[in-house]
């Protein structure tokens, strides 16, 4: 019997145990689990699971970090730069670097004011950006944080990568199900790490950053 681990929250699907609460009998092989089955804890799809625990990433070839960073920044919209500065502000605040947090917050507000309202294709654009971040952005950011021995940044990057994966998972589900994905469901967002959850019952703790669910806010529909 094999085991498969959710890359978002760490839930382990054990073929020997199955998921009886959701109709998956003990002994059910992973390949026989229905494609529409989702992680019981965070709602991730089968595509977000990997056999056993996720292995350490293979060594990354040397990159011209400055060159790649410059090219990536030149492609960012005002809205994306605003979001980036906002996240940096929150990260600084959690490390009690209040002066830096305020400066990043001012930058976030500045670029937010300059950003235009997103048009058609917004969800597709978000998915594309998420895939790009997972493929290269987080790799480069982890290299920089590790080189600086910044444990706070490394932890924030772990959270950010998991949240990006779950967002992409939700976008894939939405592409197939459209508005039926949200029918009779509640939408929640973690105030700490940004984890997004769609479901009937709020988890006891955030699957990503492990804060109690009192820190998870329900997003009301207009």
């Amino acid at each position: 019997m094999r085991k498969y681990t959710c890359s978002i929250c760490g839930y382990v699907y054990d073929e020997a145990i199955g998921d009886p609460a959701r109709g998956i009998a003990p002994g059910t092989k992973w390949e026989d689990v229905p494609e529409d089955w989702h992680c019981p804890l965070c709602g991730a799809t089968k595509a977000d699971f990997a056999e056993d625990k996720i292995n350490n990433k293979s060594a990354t070839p040397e990159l011209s970090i400055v060159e790649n960073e410059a090219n990536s920044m030149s492609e960012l919209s005002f809205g994306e730069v605003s979001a980036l500065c906002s996240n940096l502000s929150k990260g600084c605040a959690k490390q009690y670097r209040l002066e830096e947090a305020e400066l990043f917050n001012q930058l976030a507000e500045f670029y937010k004011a300059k950003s235009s309202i997103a048009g058609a294709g917004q969800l597709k654009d978000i998915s594309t950006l998420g895939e790009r971040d997972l493929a290269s952005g987080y790799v480069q950011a982890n290299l920089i944080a590790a080189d600086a021995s910044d444990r706070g940044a490394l932890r924030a990057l772990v959270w950010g990568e998991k949240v990006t994966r779950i967002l992409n998972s939700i976008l894939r589900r939405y592409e197939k199900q459209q508005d039926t994905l949200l029918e009779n469901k509640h939408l929640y967002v973690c105030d700490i790490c940004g984890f997004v959850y769609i479901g009937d019952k709020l988890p006891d703790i955030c699957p990503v950053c492990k804060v109690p669910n009192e820190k998870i806010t329900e997003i009301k529909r207009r």
Side-chain angles (χ1 to χ4, degrees), residues 154-165:
L154 288 169
R155 180 172 60 178
L157 286 167
V158 169
W159 291 354
E161 184 170 354
K162 290 183 176 182
V163 169
T164 301
R165 290 186 185 280

Side-chain angles (χ1 to χ4, degrees), residues 63-80:
L63 299 172
S64 176
I65 294 178
V66 174
E67 178 182 351
N68 279 279
E69 188 176 80
N71 290 337
S72 297
M73 287 296 291
S74 67
E75 297 172 2
L76 296 179
S77 68
F78 289 135
E80 292 164 1

Side-chain angles (χ1 to χ4, degrees), residues 60-118:
T60 305
E62 289 187 8
L63 299 172
S64 176
I65 294 178
V66 174
E67 178 182 351
N68 279 279
E69 188 176 80
N71 290 337
S72 297
M73 287 296 291
S74 67
E75 297 172 2
L76 296 179
S77 68
F78 289 135
E80 292 164 1
V81 174
S82 174
L84 175 62
C85 291
S86 178
N87 287 335
L88 288 170
S89 175
K90 293 176 182 177
C92 288
K94 292 184 185 306
Q95 298 181 48
Y96 300 100
R97 299 178 180 178
L98 301 184
E99 182 178 354
E100 292 89 340
E102 176 57 26
L103 290 173
F104 277 123
N105 185 58
Q106 291 178 24
L107 284 172
E109 292 300 321
F110 172 78
Y111 284 108
K112 181 179 179 180
K114 295 178 70 68
S115 65
S116 58
I117 298 175

